[in-house]
Amino acid sequence: MIVKIATSGGFAGIPAAGINKTVDVSSLPPPLQERVCRAFEPPKLKRLEKSGAPDTSVDRFNYAITVTDDAGEVHRYRLEESVLPAELIDLMDEM
Amino acid sequence: MFRVQGCTCRHDPLQCIIPPHMLRVLSIRAGGEVAKMARSLLDQSEKFRESRSEDAGTVMVPGKALPGAFVAAAMSAPAGLHDLHREIYDGENKAALPGKPVRSEGSPATGDAAVDAAYDNAKIVFDLYSDEFNRNSLDGKGLPLKATVHHRRDFNNAFWNGSQMVYGDGDGVIFRNFLELSVVAHEMSHGVVGFSGGLTYQGQSGALNESFADVFGALAVQRNIGQSAHEADWLIGKGILGPGINGAALRSMRAPGTAYSDGQLGQDPQPYHMDLFVNTSEDNGGVHINSGIPNHAFYLFSVLLGGNAWGAPGHIWYAALQSLNNPFASFADWAAETMEAATGLYGVRSLEFVFLRRAWKLVGISV
């Protein structure tokens, strides 16, 4: 499984200031590997993508997350930061 | 419910079609039944506006100065004592908000530079809105100023989440920090926009939201150090770029497009004229890019007029926001609203009116 995370927006509005990382989950230590696989399951991300409530926040990042599963299937999601649980954001920072 | 020509509808079509100023003329000049009808519709119209105001919560209320107009609640609030109440939290490099409380109103400095800068700069911005615009905090009703510092790990951002300010530490490469005064004032001003009816964060209205935050970011800095429009550098985020970055700041209101030019960051993409407007799907339709155009109009107006930008220019921008009542406003709508505000505050042949129109024209917007 490969997870790609890219952001746009933010206070600066500069792509270089945002997050841009690609992680081959198989290269992570086993405990982290398990947490990442659970957190980035496509159905979970799909639910988050559809959960967008009216957002009053400004200057936050918008996330483009691409998950390539072990069968080679590619899943793409566009998520506002406000819908991401704090635990998922912390995990992104840890990856 | 009204029944007109066989139709049943919730709104009287006459009420929808005839503007209030015409009804007022009819009620005075017309005779008999027409005047009676006009007075009746004016009464209904007044009740409808009050009901609309209640529906909208407490954001927009009927204005006193101009019958039929709506202004934000903070604009109609009486002058009085304003309540400064700051709460600073330590995010401890995690994403959960607000984090651990570390400093509240009146408590001494902590020695943590980020905590103390968030605390001190919040007061400077609060004072700008209170002293110059008679606004009691971000919502006009004494909202406690909550801010979280040390948000996430090496986080290159600061934002307003709808109820509080949030500041990252920066990664030390692209950004040093996000607690410079213009950045703090920028984020707090997003709160003011939100509590004044809001500007949808997409395309031109989003760029106006960004521009208002930059304008008041610049005003907070200039007022704090007593700089006139001619003396100021008009930079947003001065000194927050990393030590190896070739740039003076994040944005320049004096010369949009020139704040930085760097191998990692690229070239500052802000336009200064409508001819250079950037169409993009990124960044909510380029809200941080095209804000350069109204930013530059404010700069030009302030310099043409001279004196302190937090004087007439700031008052016109603030009044325009309070009376806008259009979350989807375009640049042209906003320019027209500022002209209305200039007319209301200073008169139709005033220097303010003339220079403001010239400033808008110089950025490619005719009003």
Side-chain angles (χ1 to χ4, degrees):
Chain A
M1 181 183 189
I2 294 169
V3 177
K4 184 179 179 198
I5 302 165
T7 61
S8 65
F11 168 72
I14 303 170
I19 297 162
N20 197 335
K21 57 168 89 172
T22 302
V23 178
D24 180 349
V25 179
S26 64
S27 68
L28 298 173
L32 182 57
Q33 208 176 105
E34 200 180 315
R35 283 168 56 211
V36 171
C37 283
R38 271 204 311 270
F40 286 86
E41 280 172 0
K44 279 187 184 169
L45 294 177
K46 192 80 191 165
R47 271 199 300 278
L48 284 176
E49 194 176 47
K50 287 182 173 171
S51 69
D55 187 13
T56 54
S57 59
V58 288
D59 284 341
R60 294 191 91 162
F61 285 138
N62 298 314
Y63 287 75
I65 298 178
T66 307
V67 178
T68 307
D69 63 26
D70 291 338
E73 198 172 340
V74 179
H75 309 266
R76 291 190 176 87
Y77 308 94
R78 293 190 82 84
L79 299 150
E80 292 180 2
E81 193 171 83
S82 58
V83 305
L84 300 177
E87 300 74 28
L88 180 58
I89 295 174
D90 287 337
L91 188 58
M92 288 183 193
D93 288 347
E94 197 180 337
M95 285 162 65
Chain B
M1 301 278 274
F2 299 93
R3 187 174 290 277
V4 179
Q5 293 179 344
C7 281
T8 302
C9 59
R10 289 190 70 238
H11 297 162
D12 187 332
L14 287 174
Q15 185 178 315
C16 300
I17 293 164
I18 305 178
H21 66 272
M22 287 181 71
L23 288 174
R24 273 190 291 280
V25 172
L26 286 172
S27 71
I28 295 165
R29 291 191 172 160
E33 286 303 305
V34 174
K36 197 173 160 187
M37 180 249 347
R39 278 193 293 274
S40 164
L41 287 179
L42 274 171
D43 283 348
Q44 287 165 21
S45 180
E46 186 62 34
K47 282 175 191 154
F48 174 67
R49 281 199 302 274
E50 283 168 8
S51 142
R52 179 170 160 230
S53 167
E54 283 163 14
D55 289 348
T58 54
V59 174
M60 303 303 290
V61 298
K64 292 185 180 71
L66 189 63
F70 274 73
V71 295
M75 197 74 171
S76 67
L81 289 175
H82 294 165
D83 318 310
L84 172 60
H85 183 80
R86 289 165 287 182
E87 299 169 9
I88 312 298
Y89 297 82
D90 185 346
E92 299 180 302
N93 301 119
K94 297 284 188 186
L97 292 171
K100 185 175 89 178
V102 284
R103 191 171 179 192
S104 59
E105 192 59 43
S107 64
T110 61
D112 179 325
V115 171
D116 296 332
Y119 183 88
D120 294 341
N121 285 338
K123 181 179 188 309
I124 293 170
V125 182
F126 179 93
D127 287 348
L128 167 70
Y129 280 107
S130 174
D131 298 347
E132 301 296 335
F133 307 106
N134 187 34
R135 187 180 187 91
N136 186 8
S137 190
L138 307 184
D139 65 345
K141 296 186 288 186
L143 181 81
L145 300 176
K146 283 170 74 170
T148 298
V149 299
H150 304 311
H151 180 66
R152 296 180 60 180
R153 195 186 295 176
D154 298 331
F155 189 54
N156 275 336
N157 201 17
F159 62 88
W160 163 256
N161 81 341
S163 61
Q164 70 158 100
M165 292 75 74
V166 184
Y167 307 103
D169 291 327
D171 61 1
V173 179
I174 305 281
F175 287 106
R176 296 169 192 262
N177 69 74
F178 290 89
L179 287 155
E180 188 267 336
L181 178 57
S182 69
V183 182
V184 171
H186 175 105
E187 296 309 332
M188 290 174 68
S189 297
H190 276 311
V192 171
V193 172
F195 285 113
S196 301
L199 280 162
T200 304
Y201 206 57
Q202 184 70 36
Q204 290 198 13
S205 57
L208 289 170
N209 195 332
E210 276 303 316
S211 176
F212 187 90
D214 276 354
V215 163
F216 281 75
L219 296 188
V221 172
Q222 291 171 24
R223 183 174 182 268
N224 188 47
I225 52 180
Q227 276 186 332
S228 71
H230 285 104
E231 294 163 337
D233 59 23
W234 294 92
L235 294 172
I236 302 299
K238 184 181 181 180
I240 70 169
L241 295 176
I245 300 292
N246 181 36
L250 199 53
R251 292 186 277 275
S252 168
M253 295 177 67
R254 174 187 286 159
T258 67
Y260 58 85
S261 178
D262 180 79
Q264 287 186 80
L265 286 190
Q267 176 75 36
D268 175 1
Q270 283 212 307
Y272 62 88
H273 191 280
M274 286 303 283
D275 286 353
L276 305 171
F277 187 92
V278 177
N279 286 301
T280 173
S281 59
E282 294 298 310
D283 185 30
N284 297 89
V287 297
H288 295 91
I289 298 173
N290 293 312
S291 54
I293 295 167
N295 275 3
H296 195 51
F298 184 85
Y299 160 79
L300 290 169
F301 175 43
S302 300
V303 169
L304 284 167
L305 199 57
N308 296 324
W310 64 89
H315 281 265
I316 289 169
W317 250 240
Y318 183 75
L321 179 74
Q322 300 311 304
S323 57
L324 181 65
N325 199 12
N326 176 6
F328 301 102
S330 65
F331 287 180
D333 293 333
W334 174 250
E337 197 69 39
T338 62
M339 294 304 298
E340 286 276 326
T343 305
L345 289 170
Y346 302 101
V348 76
R349 288 202 171 83
S350 63
L351 276 179
E352 288 82 0
F353 181 92
V354 172
F355 286 146
L356 180 57
R357 188 161 59 183
R358 189 174 299 173
W360 282 119
K361 192 173 180 188
L362 284 168
V363 301
I365 296 172
S366 295
V367 281

